[in-house]
Amino acid sequence: MSTDHTAALADAATGTCADTPVTAVTAVLTVDGRAYRHLPLDRLLPAERLAELPYAVRVLVENVARRSPAALGAVLDRIRAGQGDCEVPVHPDRIMLHDTTCLPALADFAALRDSVAELRGDPGQLQPAVPVDLTVDHSVIVEEYGHGDAVERNLLIDFRRNAERYAFVKWAERSLSNFRVVPPGTGIIHQVNMETLARVVWQQDDPAEGGGLPWLHPDVLVATDSHTPMINALGVVGWGVGGLEGQAAMLGEPVTIPFPRVVGVRLTGRLRSGVGATDLALTLTQLLREQGVVDQFVEFCGPGVAALGWAERAAVSNMAPEYGATCVYFPYDDETAAYLRLTGRDEDHVRLVDAYLGAQGLKRTADSPEPRYDDLIELDLSTVEPSLAGPDLPHQRLPLSQVPGSFQPSSGNRAPVTVAGEPLPEGPVAIAAITSCTNTANPSLIVQAALVAERARQAGLTAKPWVKTSLSPGSRVVEDYLREAGLLTPLEETGFHIVGFGCMTCIGNSGPLQDELEQVAADGGADPVAVLSGNRNFAGRVNPRVAHSYLASPPLVVAYALAGSIRHDFEREPLGSTADGTPVFLKDLWPSDEEVAARVAAAVRPAMFRANAARLREGTQAWRDIEAPDGVRFRWDPESTYIRRPPHLTGLLADAPDRLRIDRAKVLLHLGDDVTTDHISPAGAIPARSAAGQWLAERGVARRDLNQYSTRRSNHEVMLRGAFTNAAVSNQLLIEDGELRGGHAYAADRSAVLPVHEAAPTYRAAGLDLVVVAGRNYGAGSSRDWAAKAQALLGVRAVIAESYERIHRSNLIGMGVLPLEFEPGDTAAAYGLTGEEELVFDGLDALHVGTNPVALRLTRPDGSRTTARLRLRLNSRQELAYLRHGGILPYVMRRAVATP
């Protein structure tokens, strides 16, 4: 930090003159005999005001003060006033990516270098400005299961299919500075982050100033996964962004957010025996979705926080996107320090973290004053009960007793079916997956599931033959402690072999169902159900054959595999019988909390985490054998079916357009409420009969290697053919034509109904822009760039919706698409849209930060006109600049060319 920089900070904070010395703002902290520099928050705000401020906001204030002092005055004024809006530019210390967002981001990055070179700039200057970690974890599929070498077989298939993608990753590792890779088969992004990469406090050497003392400051990150808030459980501020915003942050752009509204959740009491982290997470998901916390911060307070272990906190924070919150924060406390020690962090670093956060007022203790929140919600932990969520939304919480009645078959007149020699029940559980994201970070839940399996085997029970069972941990440490506890074998004997270390079933990488059931489902003879310990259960997401999915804790996943039906009543119906005919109920298999805690304490040790961290970046021999090209610019293969130069970054001009305007447009799609990014751009398996599958087959790709949409995201030809093809998508403009479902629209001349990717070009050929109209919560779900990219490449210039999920709204702006909103109380239904109207938007030539009024003039074929009042909310000058440049990446490219 330069003297001028620090003086500006002091000026903003205290109103003193610009020649304020550095020592007036920074301070020295000595820990274990070593001195460090830091920026004390109590020199920016009075101690009593600081104590009232939510902990997460304190971290943001430190970041702004240290990195963007010109913005500090507005932030502090907002804090003093207690209300109002202002921009908060956040500079992350690091960025995390996973492969299905990183690969298209790297393709964009390579294309940016091409564009810079084509405009006579230096492509080699385009480098990450902050450390970037890529975890390759979203590609492996559950194809082999039910045997001891399933994990190795699945990984070999993964490498065979994705070798080209992984070579591209290795090119990036060689070509980009500050870019490191966690190879396939190692673990998922969130557990890698928690167990190994998160520092909680960042130590940054700065020998040029301050007498050579290193800086200390809070660890702040963004990542291209919507479940990034899992790291909030450790007192680390971080949230999910789209790959577009992540790329801008990689190049040094701040991630700018509005000053956050913070909802406090005051916890009292403690969880009852037999109630676990999943039950709490699902309860809070329902509660906070009902409360409405989209775009807001959530922070936990009250005496009940101390009753929650780190793993319970992680499960709750991980579910943040399922209730729409940006950040779900548990302040650092002694439990966090215990987790750092458990996971093998160096003891000196743990003491440093504790000392710094204590000095900054960022450590929560039992006698810490409770901050003031914009809203406060109370939850007595003792009221939480065993729960599932389903059948198709994460906030559809159900007490366990109500689950059987929640399943509604699509047809009640089916003939009896036999699978594997047994009659198939109604609501057959086709998939029972202990999958990585939410729950496999929690040793108690995994050990609890293993103990249920152990007792089931002792009673002679195993999974039903039609159930595809799988265990895909988020970390190799899970295998280590299960083996140490002697619990890996009973899980395997019950059907739950480890199938991979990655984000598998929950992302849609569930693979085909059991052979006979796959055919029965294809013929319409059954409504298969999935039960998974993940966090998302949207219709068709887990598997294209599965419309009903339920989120459950790992031990309940095992229980449903034993039962074989979602209609099973665990209270009244036994799971089976012992050899002597004694009925076995779930309560007979359920271990006590004390037994689980004792097994965890005996088996989970810091040495396991240290050993895992030491081998984190090694990868398998197959990874090490992959050869990759060199060079600053990537050599595109025009025949590739995986990686193609992105069309939105080809032929860019050096200057931005003169003005933003939409003068003639038509509605391409009119959609309903809760349209997710899965509906807009799928992630799961590419069906052979789909347009994308046929395109790949025409280029020689074997049916078995069509792979997932998520792995083909660097190929726009595939992704455009997949857009809006989810069977749950309904274009309301087509209702009179029998309501074609999934990916159809009128051609521009209304002469035909075509797949969306064929219909859209007819409008562009006619000189028309396109608009998508939707209802509430447009873009819920994953932080999926392609949900915005697909719309932009189809020619969509604006979306008009009642409300948006945060990341998708940002991604639309990142692609130059206007995220317009109806006025409160107004909906598309008021305008009787048919798709024949011509749309003109007024008010786009005078946009500013804040809420912009936009008038939509609709002219019908008979000449009658209607005007709709819309709003365009812009949170920062950055968002305004991105729209004017046609997106984030054209903006970044033009800045790179303009910078000598």
Side-chain angles (χ1 to χ4, degrees), residues 410-715:
S410 59
S411 172
N413 300 311
R414 291 193 176 100
V417 175
T418 299
V419 172
E422 295 189 29
L424 191 68
E426 189 175 58
V429 174
I431 292 173
I434 302 175
T435 191
S436 57
C437 202
T438 300
N439 295 295
T440 66
N442 188 329
S444 294
L445 288 176
I446 296 297
V447 167
Q448 189 179 37
L451 289 171
V452 169
E454 184 177 59
R455 293 177 180 183
R457 291 306 297 133
Q458 291 168 354
L461 307 181
T462 190
K464 296 298 185 186
W466 55 82
V467 182
K468 183 173 185 176
T469 50
S470 61
L471 169 59
S472 53
S475 167
R476 285 192 172 269
V477 173
V478 177
E479 180 179 15
D480 294 339
Y481 66 66
L482 282 174
R483 195 178 302 280
E484 176 69 19
L487 292 173
L488 195 59
T489 297
L491 274 169
E492 292 174 342
E493 290 175 347
T494 315
F496 288 90
H497 296 78
I498 294 178
V499 297
F501 297 91
C503 184
M504 300 181 77
T505 297
C506 190
I507 191 61
N509 292 0
S510 59
L513 306 182
Q514 186 266 355
D515 290 344
E516 290 180 68
L517 186 54
E518 178 83 21
Q519 189 59 53
V520 168
D523 295 340
D527 288 315
V529 175
V531 180
L532 64 153
S533 68
N535 42 42
R536 291 202 169 127
N537 56 340
F538 309 135
R541 173 186 171 97
V542 170
N543 187 284
R545 301 280 187 214
V546 176
H548 301 85
S549 298
Y550 291 80
L551 306 181
S553 65
L556 284 178
V557 171
V558 174
Y560 275 103
L562 299 172
S565 169
I566 199 68
R567 301 298 298 268
H568 190 90
D569 186 334
F570 291 106
E571 183 69 27
R572 297 178 175 84
E573 300 173 16
L575 290 164
S577 301
T578 62
D580 62 4
T582 304
V584 180
F585 290 84
L586 179 58
K587 64 183 180 181
D588 302 320
L589 307 181
W590 205 266
S592 68
D593 291 356
E594 292 74 19
E595 182 181 1
V596 172
R599 298 291 283 267
V600 170
V604 183
R605 298 193 301 274
M608 295 175 176
F609 293 92
R610 291 194 192 100
N612 189 57
R615 62 177 183 254
L616 191 69
R617 301 186 190 278
E618 290 180 1
T620 63
Q621 187 61 48
W623 172 258
R624 294 191 291 272
D625 288 344
I626 290 176
E627 297 183 358
D630 293 313
V632 171
R633 295 176 65 180
F634 181 72
R635 296 188 293 275
W636 306 98
D637 178 1
E639 303 302 318
S640 174
T641 61
Y642 274 109
I643 300 166
R644 295 195 167 202
R645 184 173 176 179
H648 57 284
L649 294 173
T650 300
L652 291 178
L653 301 177
D655 298 314
D658 292 336
R659 58 180 297 198
L660 182 63
R661 58 188 298 167
I662 305 176
D663 291 334
R664 294 182 65 220
K666 295 273 189 174
V667 176
L668 178 69
L669 297 164
H670 179 193
L671 309 173
D673 295 337
D674 297 310
V675 173
T676 72
T677 52
D678 281 280
H679 295 126
I680 303 168
S681 183
I686 300 174
R689 295 181 180 179
S690 68
Q694 291 173 14
W695 186 91
L696 291 168
E698 289 167 3
R699 283 148 185 83
V701 178
R703 184 168 183 164
R704 65 173 185 166
D705 290 331
L706 294 177
N707 218 332
Q708 313 286 101
Y709 282 106
S710 60
T711 61
R712 300 274 184 184
R713 285 180 182 161
S714 300
N715 184 340

Side-chain angles (χ1 to χ4, degrees), residues 664-671 680 720 723-724 729-735 740 742-750 752-764 768-774 778 790-800 833-839 841:
R664 294 182 65 220
K666 295 273 189 174
V667 176
L668 178 69
L669 297 164
H670 179 193
L671 309 173
I680 303 168
L720 285 177
F724 294 103
V729 172
S730 179
N731 184 359
Q732 296 178 26
L733 300 180
L734 301 177
I735 287 178
L740 289 174
H744 287 78
Y746 282 116
D749 62 2
R750 312 283 287 190
V753 173
L754 302 172
V756 167
H757 77 277
E758 294 180 11
T762 67
Y763 291 85
R764 296 202 300 273
L768 296 165
D769 290 321
L770 290 172
V771 173
V772 169
V773 176
Y778 189 68
Q791 293 177 86
L793 291 180
L794 288 169
V796 174
R797 296 288 310 284
V799 176
I800 309 172
L833 297 172
T834 66
E836 296 178 277
E837 303 83 1
E838 187 165 289
L839 283 58
F841 295 84

Side-chain angles (χ1 to χ4, degrees), residues 37 205-213:
R37 281 193 305 159
D205 291 330
D206 189 1
E209 299 181 27
L213 298 181

Side-chain angles (χ1 to χ4, degrees), residues 294-308:
V294 173
D295 290 349
Q296 299 178 24
F297 278 33
V298 172
E299 185 169 291
F300 288 86
C301 61
V305 172
L308 295 180

Side-chain angles (χ1 to χ4, degrees), residues 288-319:
L288 293 170
R289 179 57 79 175
E290 291 173 351
Q291 171 75 15
V293 295
V294 173
D295 290 349
Q296 299 178 24
F297 278 33
V298 172
E299 185 169 291
F300 288 86
C301 61
V305 172
L308 295 180
W310 62 268
E312 285 80 14
R313 301 176 188 186
V316 168
S317 293
N318 184 264
M319 292 293 280

